[in-house]
Amino acid sequence: MQRLTMMQRLLRLGAQRAARVGAGIGLLVGYSQLAWAELQFNMTPGITEISHKVFNLHMTIFWICVVIGVLVFGVMFYSIVRHRQSRGVKPAVFHEHLGVEITWTVIPMLILIVMAVPATKTLLELDDTGDADIDILVTGHQWFWEYEYLEEDIHFYSRLTTPAAQRSNLATKSDDYLLSVDKPLVLPVNRKVRFLLTAKDVIHSWWVPALGWKKDTIPGFINEAWTRIDEEGIYRGQCAELCGTLHGFMPIVIDVRSEEDYDAWVAEQQAGESA
C-alpha cells in the first residue's frame, strides 16, 4: 500500500512537471510568434515615389545576388560531391584557360552594368532638389532638432517628450516610447519639399525610414535632400549617427497634412509669431 502511494506521488509529480513544461513551451511558442510578427528584416517600401524606387532597386539587386549565390554555390557543392577523392576522381592538371578567364571577367562586368544603370538613375533622382515648393532648414543639436521654414518665416525646436519615468523604467512605456516630440515637423501632401541639413555641434543624421533616405547633418556644411509625400499621417524617425550620451533621445516626427490643413497651420503659426 505504501509502495502504491509512493508510485502515485511520483506519477502526480511527473504530471505536474509535464504540465509546467507544456505551459512554458506554449508561452514560448506564443511569444515567438508575436516576436516573429513584429520582426522586419527587409527595407520598408516607404510612402513616397522615390522611396518606392529605392525599395524596388534594392529588391532587384537582392534577387540578382540570390541568383548569383545559387549558381556559384550550386556549382561548388556539385563539384565537391561529384569529384570527391573517395570516388577515385583524378584532378585535372592545367595552367590557364583563356576562355575561362574571359568568361569570368565579362560576365561580372555585364552584371555590374545591369545593376549600375537603374542605380544611377535612382541616385540622380535622389539628388534632384530643384523646383521645390517648400524649403526647410534642418539643424541638429545635442540633443534635439531645429526647423526653419525659409519662405514662411516659421522657426521652432523639436524635443523629446517621453517622460523621464519611462526612460528610468519607473513607468509603463508608451507605444511611442522615445519617438514623441513636443513640436513635429508639419508637411503637406503633394508638394516638393527641399531640406537643407546642417548641425551646430557634432555630426548627426536625419533619418525617417518612410522617406527612403537619410542625410548627415555636419557642422559647417549644408547637405540637401528632398521629398514629396503622397499620404497623410504621422511618420517617425531618429538620429542615425552616434552623437553623444543622449543620441537615442532625439527622435524625428513628421505630421503630414492635406494642403488645406497645412496652409491653415502656416497661417496660424505666422499669426502666433507676429503676435
Side-chain angles (χ1 to χ4, degrees):
M1 186 67 178
Q2 186 176 2
R3 183 179 301 176
L4 181 61
T5 304
M6 181 63 70
M7 183 63 71
Q8 289 175 341
R9 290 179 180 176
L10 290 175
L11 289 174
R12 187 180 302 164
L13 181 60
Q16 290 175 349
R17 290 182 177 177
R20 291 173 184 172
V21 171
I25 292 175
L27 288 174
L28 181 60
V29 170
Y31 177 77
S32 299
Q33 290 176 342
L34 180 61
W36 180 261
E38 293 180 351
L39 285 177
Q40 182 171 339
F41 297 103
N42 204 357
M43 291 178 61
T44 59
I47 57 169
T48 65
E49 181 181 356
I50 191 65
S51 68
H52 294 161
K53 291 182 178 180
V54 171
F55 179 80
N56 292 334
L57 174 65
H58 159 73
M59 293 307 300
T60 299
I61 295 178
F62 169 77
W63 286 116
I64 290 174
C65 293
V66 168
V67 172
I68 293 172
V70 169
L71 292 175
V72 170
F73 283 100
V75 171
M76 183 181 71
F77 288 126
Y78 171 80
S79 301
I80 291 173
V81 174
R82 182 70 177 79
H83 303 288
R84 64 187 184 276
Q85 184 180 8
S86 62
R87 290 174 54 91
V89 177
K90 301 296 182 182
V93 179
F94 59 90
H95 182 265
E96 62 185 16
H97 192 290
L98 182 61
V100 173
E101 296 282 351
I102 293 176
T103 300
W104 69 35
T105 300
V106 171
I107 291 179
M109 182 180 68
L110 294 176
I111 293 172
L112 289 175
I113 291 174
V114 169
M115 293 192 296
V117 171
T120 302
K121 292 174 62 177
T122 303
L123 287 173
L124 290 174
E125 191 169 350
L126 273 169
D127 288 336
D128 182 16
T129 59
D131 299 324
D133 301 307
I134 302 170
D135 293 308
I136 298 177
L137 176 63
V138 180
T139 306
H141 297 261
Q142 290 179 309
W143 288 271
F144 58 91
W145 296 100
E146 177 183 0
Y147 300 114
E148 182 176 355
Y149 295 67
L150 299 180
E151 287 86 4
E152 290 81 2
D153 195 26
I154 297 173
H155 172 266
F156 58 87
Y157 299 99
S158 181
R159 294 181 171 88
L160 176 75
T161 57
T162 299
Q166 291 186 20
R167 304 200 300 265
S168 302
N169 292 321
L170 299 177
T172 303
K173 293 178 173 57
S174 58
D175 293 336
D176 57 358
Y177 176 69
L178 296 184
L179 292 174
S180 59
V181 297
D182 53 357
K183 292 185 177 180
L185 178 67
V186 180
L187 298 178
V189 295
N190 303 323
R191 292 186 191 176
K192 186 172 183 178
V193 181
R194 181 174 66 143
F195 298 98
L196 306 173
L197 302 108
T198 187
K200 283 289 187 181
D201 33 50
V202 298
I203 298 176
H204 304 275
S205 188
W206 201 80
W207 179 45
V208 179
L211 300 185
W213 51 265
K214 68 176 180 178
K215 280 288 184 178
D216 286 345
T217 63
I218 305 172
F221 290 86
I222 298 289
N223 281 329
E224 291 186 78
W226 70 274
T227 191
R228 182 185 285 111
I229 302 175
D230 304 323
E231 304 174 21
E232 298 178 33
I234 302 295
Y235 304 99
R236 304 179 190 274
Q238 293 168 302
C239 176
E241 184 73 32
L242 185 60
C243 56
T245 56
L246 300 184
H247 158 69
F249 295 164
M250 49 184 304
I252 303 158
V253 180
I254 299 180
D255 182 1
V256 182
R257 305 183 181 183
S258 66
E259 295 185 74
E260 296 77 12
D261 289 345
Y262 172 78
D263 291 337
W265 176 83
V266 168
E268 179 183 341
Q269 297 298 309
Q270 291 174 339
E273 291 188 359
S274 62

